[in-house]
Amino acid sequence: MLQMTLNGLKVEVEEGMTILEAARFYGINIPTLCYLEGLSPYGACRLCLVEIGAPGPSKLVTSCTYRVEEGLVVRTDSERVVKRRQMLIELYLATCPSSRVIQDLASKYHVTKVRFAPWNEDCILCGLCVRMCAEQMQGKAIGFAGRGSSRRVTTPFDKKSEECRLCGGCMYVCPACQSRCQGPQEEQPLCNACLNLEQPCLDYFDDKMCYMDPCVACELGSNRESQAKR
Ligand code: FES
């Protein structure tokens, strides 16, 4: 066991734990977007930042990837940490303004204004969906493509993936709903029809992937059609 100081409390933690795991063990909440227990930490969203070291020469580290050390001093909610989180939340709100998860974070951290121009990507590139598919579902049906501002999550060659088993795990873990149905969009490889609940997609968009099997949208659409005929 190691001794460390967590928000002023002297605590004992197991060697090998991350700061995030230690904090959660002691009931201290640290917000996360790209971390999920059971998936390898990725350190992409930076929301789990904490301050380590004495107040003077301290530094910010991502608690989901930083392992505890003997004598480590950690502050999970210092002014510096909160300010940095607020700025990140602003950025994520600009990227994904309709994400319920990010809206809730904004409310919790009193972020009421966004200084960045909205660009409505609906993806924060946290990689949760990619890791869920590869590590839990052994699928590798989706991955990252492109670099810099063109980086995005997609299927190989933007085509329907033979690896996808329609488990929906990627949608389940997505904090920004990028993979959830957003309505038919011809530019994307995902079907995305079920949210609109319109008769879409599998005939008309036959080279696109639909995660629902059977597709809720198609089912509802055909029910409506048959009711209308009656
Ligand atoms: S949760 Fe640690 S960087 Fe995203």
Side-chain angles (χ1 to χ4, degrees):
M1 297 292 267
L2 300 175
Q3 309 270 346
M4 64 178 279
T5 307
L6 204 46
N7 290 351
L9 287 174
K10 299 257 183 243
V11 294
E12 282 200 335
V13 293
E14 272 179 42
E15 203 171 341
M17 271 181 152
T18 60
I19 295 175
L20 179 68
E21 288 166 340
R24 287 191 171 172
F25 181 78
Y26 283 102
I28 295 169
N29 181 47
I30 297 177
T32 59
L33 277 175
C34 72
Y35 173 83
L36 190 69
E37 204 176 331
L39 300 181
S40 57
Y42 190 51
C45 75
R46 321 300 288 176
L47 205 68
C48 68
L49 284 173
V50 294
E51 196 173 2
I52 62 167
S58 64
K59 63 175 180 177
L60 296 177
V61 297
T62 48
S63 63
C64 68
T65 54
Y66 199 97
R67 302 217 174 267
V68 293
E69 296 160 359
E70 181 65 37
L72 191 67
V73 177
V74 178
R75 287 172 298 285
T76 64
D77 278 310
S78 66
E79 198 182 334
R80 190 177 168 199
V81 166
V82 170
K83 277 202 171 134
R84 189 63 65 89
R85 278 189 201 143
Q86 285 172 325
M87 196 201 68
L88 287 165
I89 291 167
E90 266 192 70
L91 273 170
Y92 290 136
L93 265 182
T95 316
C96 307
S98 53
S99 161
R100 178 71 197 274
V101 174
I102 295 167
Q103 287 170 3
D104 286 350
L105 278 168
S107 161
K108 187 169 174 210
Y109 280 86
H110 310 293
V111 176
T112 52
K113 282 188 195 148
V114 177
R115 289 165 291 170
F116 309 101
W119 62 94
N120 299 313
E121 286 288 339
D122 284 336
C123 177
I124 59 167
L125 299 174
C126 69
L128 271 181
C129 54
V130 175
R131 283 174 286 147
M132 182 69 170
C133 186
E135 296 175 18
Q136 289 291 330
M137 308 317 297
Q138 314 295 315
K140 297 198 176 164
I142 49 177
F144 286 109
R147 287 165 182 252
S149 58
S150 359
R151 193 159 165 82
R152 64 206 163 91
V153 174
T154 185
T155 49
F157 308 105
D158 288 345
K159 293 270 191 280
K160 181 173 178 171
S161 171
E162 298 303 322
E163 297 287 321
C164 179
R165 296 198 295 276
L166 305 167
C167 71
C170 50
M171 292 186 283
Y172 182 73
V173 297
C174 175
C177 312
Q178 190 249 6
S179 295
R180 268 174 231 160
C181 268
Q182 304 289 319
Q185 294 171 30
E186 293 200 45
E187 298 303 315
Q188 294 188 6
L190 306 177
C191 155
N192 284 336
C194 5
L195 196 72
N196 275 3
L197 300 179
E198 287 171 0
Q199 180 83 14
C201 71
L202 292 179
D203 298 330
Y204 188 68
F205 297 108
D206 60 355
D207 61 338
K208 290 185 168 57
M209 180 187 300
C210 177
Y211 278 107
M212 310 299 286
D213 188 20
C215 173
V216 179
C218 304
E219 291 259 295
L220 285 181
S222 53
N223 281 347
R224 274 195 214 127
E225 264 197 354
S226 52
Q227 278 170 6
K229 276 179 196 158
R230 267 185 235 147

